Amino acid sequence: MAVFVNGVIFDGVDTAAADAWRLDAYVARGGYQALRKILDSKLPQEDVIAEVKNSGLRGRGGAGFPTGLKWSFMPRSFPGDKYVVCNTDEGEPGTFKDRDILRFNPHALIEGMIIAGYAMGTKAGYNYIHGEVFAEYQRFEEALEEARKAGFLGQHILGTDFSFELYAHHGYGAYICGEETALLESLEGKKGQPRFKPPFPASFGLYGKPTTINNTESFASVPFIIRDGAQKFLEAGKPNNGGTKLFSVSGHVNRPGNYEIPLGTPFSTLLEMAGGMRDGKKLKAVIPGGSSAPILPAEIMMSCTMDYDSISKAGSMLGSGAVIVMNEDVCMIKALERLAYFYHEESCGQCTPCREGTGWLYRVIHRIANGEGRPGDLELLDSVGNNMAGRTICALADAAVFPVRSFTKHFRHEFEYAIEHGKTLVDHKWC
Amino acid sequence: MLEIEIDGKKLTVPQGSTVMDAAHSVGTYIPHFCYHKKLSIAANCRMCLVEVEKAPKPLPACATPVTDGMKVHTHSDMAKKAQAGVMEFLLINHPLDCPICDQGGECQLQDLAVGYGNSASRYQEEKRVVVGKDMGPLVSAEEMSRCIHCTRCVRFTEEIGGFQEIGMANRSEFSEILPFLGKTVDSEISGNVIDLCPVGALTSKPFRYSTRAWELSRRKSVSPHDGLGANLIVQVKGNQVMRVLPLENEDINECWIADRDRFSYEGLNSAERLQKPMIKHDGKWHEADWQTALEYVVKGLNGVSRDHGKDAIGVLASPHSTTEELFMVQKLARSFGVNNVDYRLRRSDFRADAAQQGALWLGSSIVELASAKSVLVVGSTQRQEQPLLASRLRQAVKKGSELNVIHVADDALLTKLNAKLIVSPQALVNALAQVLKAVVAIKSGESAIDLAAVTVSADAQRIADSLCGAETASVVLGNVAQHHPAFSELLSLAQEIARLSGARFGVLAEAANSVGAELVGAVPTRGVFGAAVSAGLNAQQMIAEPRKAYVLLNTEVEFDSYNPQAAVAAMKSAETVIALTAFKAEGLLDYADVLLPIAPFSETAGSFVNMEGRLQTFNGVVRPQGEARPAWKVLRVLGNMLGLSGFEYTSVEEVRAEWQGKGEIAPSLNNVLASVSANVQPAASALVRVGEVPLYQADAICRRASSLQATRAAAVPVAHAAQSVLDAAGVQSGAVVVLKQGEGQVRVALEADAALPAGVVRLATAHPTTIVLGGMFDPIEIKQG
Ligand SMILES: Cc1cc2nc3c(=O)[nH]c(=O)nc-3n(C[C@H](O)[C@H](O)[C@H](O)COP(=O)(O)O)c2cc1C
Ligand code: SF4
Ligand code: SF4
Ligand code: FES
């Protein structure tokens, strides 16, 4: 189910119409005007980048890094090959927005990447698509073909000197391949394992060449910014949090789905849009930014607005915008056990603290969930987590630790109860 | 330069240094597992975490670039806590059964756990069990639960070995180090992963569980195999060599050794070792005491010289012998009046002897070769002949040097080539002449060699451009070129190319002491340090015109000769064949009549001169087995018994002092021929053999190393040829054919091989299944099934 309100990316997209994703429909919605504008006016590369900077667009892949700034790191005068790469690996539990971009509006992404290619002087780009969304991958390939045929993509785009090739690549469903350098390794045909940074992709990326990696949603926001102007995008959100953002709402709500709303919208509004709590149950907690983001209890969450700054002030992260809503029937130990299992499975295994620590965390939490917790286990979890976070090559270890820290902080009594009584306080209801 | 402070010590380091580099330069130890100075940085073990001022979290020293003014604390609270945290993670799933681990006592994890770990574990869950893997006969991967996933082994095979033989499959704690499915880990230098593995996951299969590390004594030695002269640590228990490890020498072997250097020691302990002198009477072998055996030898030599003259005696010596042995054997021969002395058993062209002005050598140091901006390797099955040098050249290519190849087969060199010319042995001279012609044109020079008939191909031009364009360049001739029937022409051409292009040129010494043998005059035309001598017959002539008596030093002619068929026939026709040997070899038992047990390199003091002319001395690491005696002593006693003067040595040092007193090594190394000549027309297009010596058949010791003999490289050789050759012969790839040279023929499978030029059949020499055949690069016939 997808609902879009006041969209930037989904502006005018009729998700019920079978052909809304096609080139014609996109062009009818004003698609590829941004690209024409750039090419017609021979807009200097710096100006494109400046526009993206001014829009306040922050990376939608999780870290929220300003996109325009990232683009400015690319050595524009570098003479050799350079690449732009789109990250559609979307493996984070709770996140399902990029899939809908490919499904309903793939040309927004294609146009965004072409503009990025123009701005950074690259001749080729790749879109790395999560291996388990194969139908969307196929649709994207079709959309690419449409764009090529129409002259938006390939050699001498729209008859100009500007050429840009874009290719789709599907992965095999490993979460770690969403980490940008693991993605590059995988794209090169190697095992998907993060690289140590520095060097950063902007100097040593795909095939060792300067590369910029952005999330699908980040790229897909660019055509609007160029067409309608940075100011308009910025105004759609709030200062330092420009634009609208896709939120993948899941969990105990009546209407789970993707919602594109202005940054700064109160969480309560988003919850209402999603139909409110299912079965009239009470809201217990929310993970506001995907499974790696710290969980927030209902009271805190209800006072937040949905933007980078507000969520961060509340002690969590906006992350990828995956909003996981939990009602009062959720046993927090069970919920955490599930998350811990995920990271234990998905660690790439190269760093000692992550390889060994994710399994350790999971086993201790599993024990507690099964009434076999021991005194000292919470301190143990805390200490193991401290030995992991910030000690590894990529942020997966941190992502595995954040939930543990936040669950045991906000719902400590549930853990203490289980350890003391050999059973959980909340009788978890699976639904 | 950047300024950095490590634990209060101020220093400056070059731009691009890591914190680990900086720490090393002031002798500060930072614990580490995945870091290795010769491998890429993986930064995965996290053992090297240190505190860097102003950084919010501990940083890995191995991967953190030094920035100006950086202050690092390797022992602060933050650093120590971080290191202890990592150590705890490493140990939670590690089987803590060190007493039954083969690595016990030499384990980095064990050592660091003592310094950085806790005495009790907070991990109460079950430990992970990882099933063992079969990596082949050399590397044991039985104990994979011990693996700490540092990926040193993976990176080694890929980066130094040249191709990935080991990988890390799966994710998370299910990650496992594996060979490729159904594949072994036994390429020519893969044994180094055993040293690299910081724990007991990868261990030496032959050595495993034979003894404890602390029971072994460590003795320095030098590899007796190829011409590199790798430095060794030989580990000994009781009177037995138990294991061989690299001794680091950046100028020669860096910190590696080839598998041949590492595992050959098994040959030293082989059941074939000759323990006592033996004499053949009426076709039966009998053990004898030394006195009897030596008297037999003296009688034999005196008899032949009385009946047929001194010229009826030939001396063939192995270049794997020590310099002192080679010096003694030529001295003994010449003092006795025998001028027929040669070490070059696998040579087939001796025309250069007359023009030779010094000892043939590499023409530069190994380091100079590896840092040359352009290298041309002519006629070398590199990975087989010089495994470590081949790896070093691959590293050089990575650093930007251009590697060019002229060879008789397009072997996988596992690196990027600038240009290559792959031609049949008959066109090898022409190929090199093409390069010379292009060089002459580039340099507007002149050559004494007539190049009118030569057409320069595009690849030859590229090679010439590369050599002429590079600041430093080297042209080197490998074994195939040295054994080739036109070696003197190839050497002439190399000399001309070098002269005109400004490159260095030389030969890749085949054996540990080829250069030593050249220097001390183990050749029929030159004495010690080139002293004038009455010329004798060379190795080929001694075989082609059979002698009545042969003295063999450390050689089995069926494996060590250019033409084994002819060599064995010559031996069989002799009245007496006197073999000084460490092994009761099948061949020797057949054609010799007296065997004198001599000590291999491990049981005698001696020296080798490596390809770059570096003299390396060593001592015996164990006492000689049985009644074996160092060959220099045997030769000394023979000198005494033959009534010759000048054989009064009491120690090997005296022998060394004597040959060293006769000249200087450096000025005696000289590849330049007094006159050059080459016939640049490709020879007639008969089918010829490409018959190289297999990796583990190169010398008597490695031939008897059982684990090496179980590797892929030691498989029974099959023949290969281009499809066109198969078509012409009307056979399918894989069909069994009869291959014939002279009187001998073998039945062997013939497989199509796109790496071979037309007109050749490649079938290894020096193997028991092929020794009935003839010359290594001579014509050969294919007869159908
Ligand atoms: C373990 C891990 C998984 C990640 N997965 C994704 C992902 O699926 N999609 C994504 O866009 N970014 C993911 N990221 C973030 C990327 O590394 C990268 O920061 C992002 O693609 C940059 O794009 P942006 O600047 O447009 O956000 C992941 C990061 C980590 C550490
Ligand atoms: S933190 Fe985990 S997932 Fe990331 S590189 Fe290290 S082991 Fe792999
Ligand atoms: S097998 Fe040894 S060298 Fe290889 S990854 Fe494991 S611990 Fe490291
Ligand atoms: S030695 Fe630095 S991370 Fe392993």
Side-chain angles (χ1 to χ4, degrees):
Chain A
M1 164 121 191
V3 182
F4 307 108
V5 192
N6 300 334
V8 162
I9 293 172
F10 287 108
D11 189 23
V13 177
D14 176 4
T15 56
D19 283 341
W21 65 274
R22 290 210 171 267
L23 181 71
D24 296 347
Y26 181 64
V27 170
R29 291 196 292 273
Y32 288 110
Q33 277 179 19
L35 179 62
R36 279 188 197 282
K37 178 169 153 187
I38 289 176
L39 294 179
D40 289 350
S41 64
K42 296 203 168 58
L43 199 62
Q45 294 175 327
E46 299 73 55
D47 292 10
V48 179
I49 295 176
E51 197 70 2
V52 176
K53 265 191 195 161
N54 293 339
S55 74
L57 173 63
R58 293 173 60 167
R60 305 303 198 214
F65 192 83
T67 303
L69 188 59
K70 189 187 267 188
W71 289 14
S72 71
F73 293 155
M74 275 287 265
R76 253 162 303 157
S77 51
F78 178 83
D81 290 334
K82 289 179 276 188
Y83 300 100
V84 288
V85 173
C86 174
N87 187 344
T88 312
D89 194 52
E90 197 164 57
E92 175 120 325
T95 320
F96 43 84
K97 64 191 179 65
D98 297 338
R99 181 182 58 181
D100 273 0
I101 294 177
L102 296 195
R103 192 196 283 171
F104 298 121
N105 205 12
H107 283 285
L109 170 59
I110 294 171
E111 187 181 4
M113 288 191 75
I114 299 171
I115 294 170
Y118 176 92
M120 289 176 271
T122 70
K123 294 193 179 52
Y126 293 88
N127 184 16
Y128 186 99
I129 301 171
H130 194 75
E132 284 150 352
V133 296
F134 202 72
E136 286 73 10
Y137 159 74
Q138 287 174 316
R139 175 169 292 184
F140 188 72
E141 288 276 21
E142 260 192 81
L144 283 176
E145 210 38 56
E146 285 184 327
R148 286 185 194 118
K149 285 214 177 93
F152 293 120
L153 198 56
Q155 295 301 303
H156 300 292
I157 291 174
L158 299 176
T160 65
D161 287 347
F162 173 55
S163 300
F164 182 76
E165 301 286 355
L166 181 55
Y167 307 96
H169 179 97
H170 72 83
Y172 287 89
Y175 171 56
I176 195 58
C177 289
E179 195 282 337
E180 57 191 17
T181 55
L183 183 152
L184 296 178
E185 288 283 297
S186 174
L187 200 51
E188 290 179 8
K190 301 179 189 147
K191 184 182 179 189
Q193 270 185 186
R195 298 175 183 166
F196 182 84
K197 286 147 288 207
F200 291 94
S203 55
F204 188 93
L206 186 63
Y207 304 114
K209 306 292 180 198
T211 301
T212 292
I213 301 137
N214 275 116
N215 173 254
T216 319
E217 189 185 347
S218 311
F219 280 124
S221 305
V222 169
F224 178 94
I225 295 169
I226 300 297
R227 192 191 63 192
D228 293 6
Q231 197 55 30
K232 188 138 180 236
F233 184 83
L234 188 59
E235 280 163 9
K238 67 185 229 190
N240 197 34
N241 297 269
T244 60
K245 166 98 190 75
L246 277 160
F247 290 99
S248 306
V249 183
S250 64
H252 301 125
V253 294
N254 277 312
R255 268 187 295 150
N258 281 319
Y259 296 85
E260 188 175 22
I261 55 172
L263 284 169
T265 306
F267 169 71
S268 54
T269 312
L270 179 62
L271 186 58
E272 253 169 59
M273 288 165 78
M277 295 301 290
R278 205 193 313 161
D279 305 329
K281 296 270 178 158
K282 252 178 69 189
L283 176 70
K284 181 172 182 177
V286 176
I287 301 177
S291 62
S292 313
I295 194 166
L296 293 174
E299 326 70 81
I300 299 183
M301 198 62 212
M302 289 305 275
S303 69
C304 283
T305 56
M306 297 306 291
D307 56 77
Y308 296 97
D309 296 341
S310 166
I311 300 288
S312 153
K313 228 170 99 195
S316 185
M317 312 184 304
L318 196 68
S320 61
V323 181
I324 304 171
V325 179
M326 302 182 197
N327 71 17
E328 56 196 315
D329 292 339
V330 173
C331 165
M332 284 300 155
I333 309 170
K334 286 273 186 226
L336 180 62
E337 180 192 6
R338 192 72 200 96
L339 289 176
Y341 184 77
F342 174 80
Y343 291 105
H344 163 49
E345 272 279 316
E346 297 292 340
S347 158
C348 85
Q350 59 175 332
C351 316
T352 303
C354 177
R355 177 183 65 247
E356 306 296 342
T358 50
W360 195 353
L361 290 178
Y362 165 68
R363 290 191 177 92
V364 173
I365 297 161
H366 175 75
R367 229 177 38 211
I368 302 173
N370 283 287
E372 288 157 17
R374 303 180 191 135
D377 271 354
L378 289 180
E379 292 69 29
L380 180 63
L381 285 177
D382 196 42
S383 148
V384 170
N386 287 341
N387 284 339
M388 293 168 64
R391 310 270 164 101
T392 54
I393 289 178
C394 86
L396 187 140
D398 299 81
V401 171
F402 289 160
V404 177
R405 277 189 191 154
S406 59
F407 275 67
T408 54
K409 173 181 166 203
H410 293 299
F411 302 95
R412 197 167 191 85
H413 59 283
E414 284 191 41
F415 288 84
E416 283 168 346
Y417 181 94
I419 291 169
E420 200 174 317
H421 296 87
K423 60 179 171 55
T424 57
L425 177 65
V426 179
D427 189 12
H428 188 79
K429 293 195 184 56
W430 298 102
C431 47
Chain B
M1 295 301 269
L2 302 168
E3 272 194 29
I4 176 173
E5 192 179 309
I6 298 183
D7 296 336
K9 276 184 243 173
K10 282 202 175 74
L11 64 147
T12 53
V13 293
Q15 201 86 29
S17 304
T18 62
V19 173
M20 186 72 92
D21 298 333
H24 279 166
S25 71
V26 283
T28 299
Y29 179 76
I30 298 178
H32 60 267
F33 293 108
C34 69
Y35 168 79
H36 189 277
K37 63 181 178 208
K38 295 280 179 189
L39 302 176
S40 65
I41 301 290
N44 58 29
C45 77
R46 301 280 140 175
M47 193 61 218
C48 67
L49 291 172
V50 292
E51 179 177 353
V52 175
E53 273 184 26
K54 296 203 185 85
K57 51 192 191 183
L59 297 177
C62 68
T64 303
V66 172
T67 53
D68 204 30
M70 193 178 236
K71 288 200 170 90
V72 175
H73 304 281
T74 69
H75 282 86
S76 64
D77 234 29
M78 185 206 250
K80 278 201 294 206
K81 270 197 193 131
Q83 291 157 4
V86 172
M87 181 49 80
E88 179 178 39
F89 284 131
L90 283 170
L91 292 179
I92 62 172
N93 274 307
H94 193 84
L96 296 179
D97 52 0
C98 305
I100 61 151
C101 175
D102 196 47
Q103 192 89 356
E106 51 179 358
C107 173
Q108 284 181 39
L109 185 64
Q110 200 177 33
D111 293 350
L112 291 185
V114 174
Y116 301 86
N118 277 322
S119 48
S121 173
R122 299 191 293 168
Y123 187 72
Q124 308 284 325
E125 334 299 321
E126 250 177 67
K127 284 185 188 259
R128 163 172 77 225
V129 174
V130 183
V131 294
K133 310 290 182 296
D134 182 6
M135 290 194 179
L138 304 180
V139 180
S140 166
E142 283 308 310
E143 314 279 335
M144 292 317 279
S145 299
R146 305 188 191 282
C147 169
I148 57 166
H149 304 88
C150 68
T151 69
R152 277 181 171 193
C153 54
V154 178
R155 284 174 284 145
F156 174 83
T157 63
E158 209 176 324
E159 296 164 15
I160 310 293
F163 71 110
Q164 221 189 9
E165 284 187 283
I166 300 178
M168 190 163 96
N170 304 333
R171 287 196 304 254
S172 186
E173 58 176 43
F174 313 108
S175 298
E176 286 186 47
I177 292 293
L178 303 169
F180 283 82
L181 281 182
K183 295 276 169 62
T184 49
V185 179
D186 57 356
S187 70
E188 67 276 12
I189 60 173
S190 47
N192 289 298
V193 299
I194 298 165
D195 303 335
L196 286 173
C197 182
V199 293
L202 304 181
T203 52
S204 161
K205 208 170 236 180
F207 170 75
R208 206 163 112 82
Y209 292 140
S210 59
T211 187
R212 280 307 202 171
W214 57 83
E215 297 177 293
L216 296 169
S217 41
R218 296 162 66 87
R219 314 251 159 92
K220 289 183 189 176
S221 193
V222 178
S223 169
H225 307 291
D226 57 48
L228 193 78
N231 291 193
L232 309 178
I233 295 279
V234 179
Q235 293 197 301
V236 170
K237 183 183 169 189
N239 196 43
Q240 196 176 340
V241 173
M242 302 299 290
R243 180 165 72 168
V244 172
L245 301 173
L247 174 63
E248 194 169 333
N249 187 334
E250 194 56 28
D251 293 343
I252 300 176
N253 52 305
E254 302 170 87
C255 54
W256 317 120
I257 51 175
D259 289 3
R260 192 159 55 192
D261 305 319
R262 181 184 302 272
F263 295 107
S264 274
Y265 74 88
E266 283 189 296
L268 299 171
N269 306 323
S270 108
E272 265 197 287
R273 277 297 298 276
L274 180 63
Q275 306 280 349
K276 272 178 177 256
M278 294 180 80
I279 301 174
K280 187 151 68 180
H281 276 308
D282 304 329
K284 285 219 179 62
W285 284 97
H286 302 277
E287 290 188 347
D289 58 36
W290 269 103
Q291 189 61 27
T292 314
L294 291 170
E295 279 168 7
Y296 177 94
V297 170
V298 169
K299 205 169 133 217
L301 290 174
N302 281 330
V304 169
S305 89
R306 186 185 56 234
D307 299 348
H308 308 285
K310 296 275 162 57
D311 198 39
I313 300 172
V315 177
L316 296 169
S318 160
H320 297 278
S321 309
T322 67
T323 326
E324 290 66 30
E325 291 165 354
L326 289 160
F327 168 73
M328 289 283 286
V329 82
Q330 64 80 34
K331 179 174 176 182
L332 182 79
R334 289 184 167 124
S335 307
F336 189 57
V338 173
N339 298 318
N340 309 325
V341 149
D342 210 344
Y343 81 94
R344 300 163 300 175
L345 277 72
R346 291 197 186 115
R347 275 273 189 89
S348 61
D349 177 11
F350 296 83
R351 289 173 290 163
D353 281 11
Q356 206 175 315
Q357 308 184 89
L360 297 185
W361 68 302
L362 185 60
S364 73
S365 71
I366 291 164
V367 170
E368 282 166 336
L369 176 70
S371 54
K373 294 281 177 272
S374 170
V375 175
L376 169 59
V377 182
V378 183
S380 174
T381 307
Q382 293 180 39
R383 291 173 53 202
Q384 209 158 286
E385 296 170 12
Q386 310 284 355
L388 277 183
L389 194 69
S391 166
R392 204 153 177 165
L393 289 175
R394 288 196 293 271
Q395 307 313 313
V397 171
K398 279 193 210 163
K399 289 189 200 119
S401 97
E402 294 179 345
L403 183 60
N404 304 282
V405 161
I406 299 181
H407 192 35
V408 295
D410 194 4
D411 294 323
L413 293 173
L414 313 175
T415 188
K416 192 181 83 193
L417 295 181
N418 179 62
K420 63 183 171 192
L421 281 170
I422 305 300
V423 297
S424 104
Q426 291 169 317
L428 205 56
V429 170
N430 178 268
L432 199 55
Q434 290 180 33
V435 176
L436 174 58
K437 188 162 183 172
V439 169
V440 167
I442 295 170
K443 293 288 179 184
S444 315
E446 268 174 48
S447 172
I449 295 171
D450 180 5
L451 299 165
V454 176
T455 315
V456 179
S457 64
D459 284 309
Q461 185 66 46
R462 288 191 57 157
I463 296 173
D465 289 342
S466 168
L467 292 171
C468 293
E471 229 172 284
T472 48
S474 265
V475 181
V476 288
L477 306 183
N479 288 358
V480 170
Q482 293 172 59
H483 301 154
H484 191 278
F487 168 61
S488 62
E489 301 176 40
L490 294 169
L491 190 60
S492 292
L493 289 162
Q495 174 173 333
E496 286 292 272
I497 291 170
R499 178 177 64 81
L500 290 165
S501 68
R504 299 188 178 97
F505 83 108
V507 297
L508 297 169
E510 172 180 8
N513 211 16
S514 303
V515 177
E518 292 266 319
L519 288 170
V520 298
V523 287
T525 45
R526 306 170 63 247
V528 187
F529 289 111
V533 291
S534 334
L537 301 178
N538 61 46
Q540 191 195 32
Q541 292 164 330
M542 283 186 249
I543 300 298
E545 304 153 30
R547 304 291 97 190
K548 294 293 177 204
Y550 289 100
V551 176
L552 306 181
L553 174 62
N554 196 13
T555 179
E556 299 153 57
V557 297
E558 65 279 24
F559 294 126
D560 296 335
S561 301
Y562 178 77
N563 184 337
Q565 194 179 77
V568 170
M571 295 302 128
K572 285 190 173 170
S573 74
E575 287 174 17
T576 180
V577 175
I578 299 152
L580 283 74
T581 172
F583 299 99
K584 214 176 348 179
E586 219 178 292
L588 295 176
L589 289 173
D590 182 29
Y591 54 70
D593 52 319
V594 54
L595 304 182
L596 303 177
I598 56 166
F601 83 106
S602 51
E603 298 167 15
T604 179
S607 67
F608 295 138
V609 182
N610 79 351
M611 57 170 71
E612 57 182 354
R614 184 193 299 248
L615 175 72
Q616 302 194 93
T617 59
F618 52 87
N619 286 317
V621 296
V622 289
R623 288 186 306 282
Q625 277 188 26
E627 291 182 20
R629 292 289 172 268
W632 72 268
K633 282 193 185 170
V634 177
L635 294 164
R636 183 202 64 192
V637 177
L638 273 177
N640 299 148
M641 291 174 71
L642 286 166
L644 307 172
S645 63
F647 287 86
E648 290 79 33
Y649 310 100
T650 56
S651 72
V652 76
E653 285 73 22
E654 281 179 35
V655 182
R656 189 175 305 144
E658 182 172 328
W659 75 257
Q660 281 192 309
K662 292 182 188 295
E664 294 278 331
I665 295 181
S668 306
L669 303 168
N670 188 357
N671 295 317
V672 176
L673 301 177
S675 64
V676 293
S677 78
N679 174 8
V680 298
Q681 304 273 18
S685 59
L687 198 57
V688 291
R689 177 177 179 193
V690 167
E692 301 113 311
V693 180
L695 187 56
Y696 301 134
Q697 288 293 119
D699 59 80
I701 301 172
C702 71
R703 290 197 278 263
R704 292 172 173 85
S706 49
S707 301
L708 290 178
Q709 293 306 324
T711 60
R712 276 173 298 152
V716 172
V718 296
H720 291 94
Q723 187 63 47
S724 62
V725 172
L726 271 74
D727 292 345
V731 294
Q732 295 280 312
S733 179
V736 173
V737 295
V738 171
L739 296 178
K740 190 162 184 292
Q741 277 187 303
E743 302 299 299
Q745 57 181 42
V746 296
R747 282 174 62 80
V748 64
L750 178 63
E751 289 174 6
D753 186 347
L756 291 172
V760 311
V761 173
R762 188 182 216 180
L763 177 63
T765 187
H767 192 271
T769 59
T770 63
I771 52 178
V772 298
L773 292 177
M776 297 161 73
F777 301 95
D778 287 353
I780 190 166
E781 287 170 66
I782 304 178
K783 298 216 235 142
Q784 226 157 327

